[in-house]
Amino acid sequence: MSEALEHALAEALAGLVTAVDTCEDDVLDPDTAVKWLEGSAYVLDRLAPGDRRRLAGLFRAAALREPAGPWRDDLLKVGDGFGLDEDQHERYCDAVEAHVRRFVETVRGADPATEVPTCPGWTLADLTRHHGTTHRWIAHLVRHRVTERVWSRDVPLELPDEEADRPHWLAASAEESLRVLRSADPETPMWSHGADQHVRFFARRLLFEAVVHLADAELALGRTPHVEACTAADGIEEFLENLPFLGQRAPVAALGRDGASLRLRATDTGAAWTVVLGGESGFRWDNAAGGASGSAGPGGDATVTVEGAAGELLLLVHGRRAPGAEELFTVTGERDVLDAWLAATAV
């Protein structure tokens, strides 16, 4: 979608919403107006946080193009009316809390020695220790607003002696990390191991740590994981944004296929992400269905396309699903490009 089209659609939607919201009762039945606006709010609430922020900015830009007066004032209220300007940092913290609770409920009472197939060599006890360690590490980083890397091995863990006590320890570790994050200004600059060098980076990172490791635990126990589509979409973009900073997963330029493209298409939402190999960082990407700049254009074919539900695509890029699972994915094009990408970006 072009930038001009984005602005035009946002301006049209903001104008329509404002017209409905300010319409006189004798022109439009108030109950009908509420029903229309609630339907729109439901759709917009399913957007990923990044898209919500983008749309809020487009609404504001549309409003500010209008002359000062009551109409512009009403337009400026549209984003807030849909909750697009809500505290994303707090939303991430709430989501982390919910997913950690589900993880603890999943592993509590299970045999700690249960093998985790998606993390070869690990048991549920190992997975729980890793998850809790990440919370302890991030709590330390944010509490001290570090300006350079501190390794997790240098952070006190207070790990219990009994493996069966680790779920409770994880819950306490998450409670501490969330307390630190919620008390911090998300806009504060600090070191992070990703693209965003601010406190806000860590709440988002912890969410997808929790989402993926919950799936690990569920798969280990023979359950089918489910990731909500909007969460999964944000997670795919979080993965792509941070991939160049993740050390062992960065050197995808070594694939030797400059210009080859990989497209992920979500069958449940229609969202798509296109990755083009090459360049200094090894790849570039965008979330337009037409592909990244310089790659397959709108309607064009990528070198390889994999289609599946957004949640399954998130698990695929994190190595928790295999592209050969035909009941989950449809792969078209050059499968070797997909296989090489997944191998190069694996943990």
Side-chain angles (χ1 to χ4, degrees):
M1 181 184 298
S2 70
E3 185 174 340
L5 180 55
E6 273 190 340
H7 280 279
L9 290 175
E11 183 173 345
L13 178 56
L16 180 59
V17 168
T18 301
V20 170
D21 197 36
T22 59
C23 196
E24 297 293 338
D25 293 354
D26 59 346
V27 177
L28 177 63
D29 177 66
D31 291 338
T32 300
V34 169
K35 182 178 179 180
W36 288 352
L37 295 177
E38 285 182 343
S40 298
Y42 173 76
V43 172
L44 297 182
D45 193 53
R46 299 175 64 191
L47 291 174
D51 291 330
R52 291 167 62 85
R53 290 192 296 271
R54 170 67 175 161
L55 184 56
L58 290 171
F59 282 159
R60 282 192 292 272
L64 293 173
R65 287 195 292 271
E66 298 291 328
W71 178 249
R72 183 170 77 170
D73 292 341
D74 287 331
L75 285 173
L76 286 169
K77 299 175 184 177
V78 172
D80 186 59
F82 283 121
L84 299 178
D85 293 317
E86 290 178 358
D87 187 344
Q88 294 297 324
H89 181 71
E90 184 61 30
R91 286 170 68 98
Y92 279 126
C93 288
D94 290 346
V96 171
E97 186 174 17
H99 280 80
V100 171
R101 185 184 306 115
R102 287 176 57 192
F103 182 97
V104 171
E105 291 171 352
T106 298
V107 300
R108 182 184 286 137
D111 183 354
T114 301
E115 294 184 356
V116 181
T118 49
C119 300
W122 279 14
T123 64
L124 283 180
D126 297 323
L127 180 65
T128 305
R129 172 178 175 146
H130 167 78
H131 200 1
T133 297
T134 302
H135 279 274
R136 296 263 173 168
W137 178 57
I138 287 178
H140 177 88
L141 297 179
V142 176
R143 182 184 296 112
H144 296 286
R145 309 292 196 274
V146 300
T147 57
E148 59 185 16
R149 177 183 286 276
V150 174
W151 296 97
S152 59
R153 61 175 175 265
D154 296 323
V155 175
L157 295 183
E158 301 177 8
L159 191 70
D161 294 332
E162 298 295 329
E163 291 184 343
D165 293 332
R166 289 186 182 179
H168 176 75
W169 168 80
L170 165 60
S173 300
E175 182 179 345
E176 175 63 13
S177 68
L178 290 172
R179 180 165 50 249
V180 171
L181 284 166
R182 283 171 168 148
S183 66
D185 179 353
E187 303 303 314
T188 301
M190 63 171 291
W191 176 89
S192 82
H193 54 298
D196 188 356
Q197 299 286 296
H198 295 84
V199 165
R200 61 179 179 244
F201 166 85
F202 292 99
R204 189 183 187 205
R205 176 81 289 276
L206 274 178
L207 173 57
F208 297 108
E209 178 87 2
V211 167
V212 172
H213 291 323
L214 173 60
D216 288 328
E218 290 173 329
L219 290 167
L221 295 171
R223 304 176 190 176
T224 301
H226 171 72
V227 184
E228 292 184 356
C230 61
T231 299
D234 189 31
I236 290 170
E237 297 189 4
E238 194 260 359
F239 176 85
L240 292 171
E241 288 169 12
N242 292 320
L243 185 58
F245 300 86
L246 299 184
Q248 74 276 17
R249 291 193 281 182
V252 293
L255 296 180
R257 289 295 303 271
D258 282 8
S261 55
L262 160 67
R263 183 168 298 155
L264 307 171
R265 190 187 305 279
T267 53
D268 49 351
T269 67
W273 301 267
T274 303
V275 176
V276 180
L277 303 181
E280 292 184 5
S281 64
F283 72 97
R284 62 190 187 279
W285 69 276
D286 73 16
N287 59 3
S293 175
S295 70
D301 293 330
T303 308
V304 61
T305 297
V306 54
E307 298 179 297
E312 299 298 345
L313 292 174
L314 174 66
L315 297 179
L316 174 72
V317 299
H318 279 280
R320 269 58 181 187
R321 292 295 200 191
E326 295 182 358
E327 71 279 11
L328 299 177
F329 305 110
T330 299
V331 180
T332 55
E334 299 181 28
R335 171 68 182 274
D336 62 313
V337 172
L338 173 61
D339 292 339
W341 165 267
L342 293 175
T345 59
V347 175

